[in-house]
Amino acid sequence: MGTFVVKETANGIMFNLKAGNGEVIATSEVYSSKDACLNGIESVKKNAALANIEDQTVEGFESLKNPKFEVYLDKRGEYRFRLIATNGQIISVGESYKAKAGCLNGIESIKKNAPEAEVKEVE
């Protein structure tokens, strides 16, 4: 089972979603308050299960309705994804992957882990 790890940063508070093996599979933006961060976690839990995958690396891709995972190529030519909530806000992002298959596996891991993940705060 996954875990949302909430932690303070120099600029605010954020979360990482970790898979059962401890690997970070998604990261949030930095929020200004703990409540905003916890709302972000609830949004990921709710939207991840409903989101389809919009593969922007394919020419002529179909633009999907939110919520969705957007798969795209970063400046280094590596695959990345971001989870977009129903309201169009980016609520989490993944790391970069050299292969599209790894990126898609990351998305599947979020869909599997996020809905039931516990929330843990680190000091």
Side-chain angles (χ1 to χ4, degrees):
M1 182 169 72
T3 306
F4 285 98
V5 178
V6 177
K7 65 181 184 177
E8 289 201 34
T9 70
N11 303 328
I13 192 161
M14 63 171 292
F15 67 81
N16 286 318
L17 173 57
K18 293 186 175 187
N21 64 2
E23 191 86 15
V24 174
I25 51 177
T27 301
S28 75
E29 64 177 294
V30 176
Y31 295 94
S32 58
S33 72
K34 183 176 167 186
D35 284 344
C37 185
L38 295 176
N39 287 341
I41 289 171
E42 288 307 310
S43 185
V44 170
K45 286 183 169 199
K46 182 178 80 180
N47 287 287
L50 304 172
N52 289 311
I53 299 171
E54 179 179 288
D55 186 350
Q56 298 178 354
T57 68
V58 177
E59 195 170 319
F61 69 88
E62 179 186 353
S63 185
L64 301 177
K65 287 176 61 175
N66 297 332
K68 64 185 173 184
F69 285 96
E70 293 179 341
V71 175
Y72 63 99
L73 290 171
D74 66 15
K75 291 175 186 160
R76 295 186 315 208
E78 295 186 344
Y79 293 90
R80 296 184 75 97
F81 66 82
R82 54 190 161 233
L83 175 57
I84 310 294
T86 307
N87 65 4
Q89 295 290 312
I90 297 172
I91 51 177
S92 67
V93 296
E95 61 185 53
S96 63
Y97 298 86
K98 294 202 183 303
K100 188 190 291 189
C103 187
L104 296 175
N105 286 341
I107 291 170
E108 289 308 311
S109 185
I110 292 171
K111 287 175 161 257
K112 185 177 104 182
N113 284 285
E116 303 298 321
E118 64 181 10
V119 178
K120 194 165 85 177
E121 294 181 44
V122 294
E123 299 298 319

